[in-house]
């Protein structure tokens, strides 16, 4: 596929749980996968917020057409029922089967997952330090004034 060609990608995000890895979200994108994941981990509008600290693995597969991508997304959401997918999920079980796709693991270091984890941890620390200050402590306790 040429470098400038649009890619049609399905991806699966797994969280680590005490019982092992759990598929929590299935998504699709025509963007570079790293760009799409950045949106999930940084609360971009219209994207499901995911906690990068819980991610154990991400797998993806490229499809030849956008139509195939849309069809497989709905198919897999209804087959696997990932907990964070709310749209396009039926309560009924599928009665059809489609050929399985060969999802491949993404290198979590290559997509910069640790950077997203660090950012979330910093945000949490900022919230906790703000919560621990007493009333009237302001942004950094009592302000010091200089006589300049």
């Amino acid at each position: 596929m040429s470098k400038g060609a649009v890619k049609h990608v399905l991806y699966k995000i797994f969280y680590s749980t005490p019982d092992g890895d759990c598929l929590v979200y299935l998504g699709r994108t025509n963007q570079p996968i790293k760009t799409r994941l950045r949106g999930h981990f940084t609360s971009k509008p219209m994207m499901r917020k995911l906690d990068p600290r819980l991610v154990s693995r991400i797998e993806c597969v490229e499809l030849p057409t956008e139509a195939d991508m849309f069809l497989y997304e709905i198919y897999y959401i209804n087959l696997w029922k990932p907990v964070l997918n709310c749209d396009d999920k039926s309560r009924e079980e599928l009665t059809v089967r489609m050929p399985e796709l060969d999802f491949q693991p993404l290198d979590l270091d290559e997509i910069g997952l640790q950077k997203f984890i660090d950012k979330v941890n910093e945000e949490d620390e900022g919230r906790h330090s703000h919560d621990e200050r007493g009333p009237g402590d302001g942004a950094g306790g009592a302000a010091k004034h200089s006589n300049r």
Side-chain angles (χ1 to χ4, degrees), residues 33-103:
I33 189 68
K34 188 174 180 179
T35 302
R36 180 66 174 188
L37 293 172
R38 183 181 318 119
H40 283 301
F41 298 142
T42 59
S43 296
K44 295 285 184 201
M46 302 299 293
M47 287 194 189
R48 167 126 353 239
K49 171 74 169 163
L50 299 169
D51 188 340
R53 297 170 296 190
L54 300 176
V55 173
S56 57
R57 75 179 194 268
I58 300 172
E59 298 176 354
C60 66
V61 64
E62 188 175 326
L63 292 136
T65 69
E66 190 172 52
D68 290 346
M69 178 182 67
F70 289 146
L71 182 63
Y72 267 101
E73 179 192 29
I74 292 170
Y75 172 73
Y76 280 136
I77 287 171
N78 282 284
L79 181 65
W80 296 327
K81 302 191 185 317
V83 295
L84 297 179
N85 286 96
C86 300
D87 297 334
D88 303 319
K89 194 186 304 183
S90 173
R91 287 183 231 144
E92 298 176 335
E93 296 299 317
L94 289 172
T95 61
V96 298
R97 291 291 179 253
M98 293 174 56
E100 289 298 316
L101 298 177
D102 186 21
F103 284 83

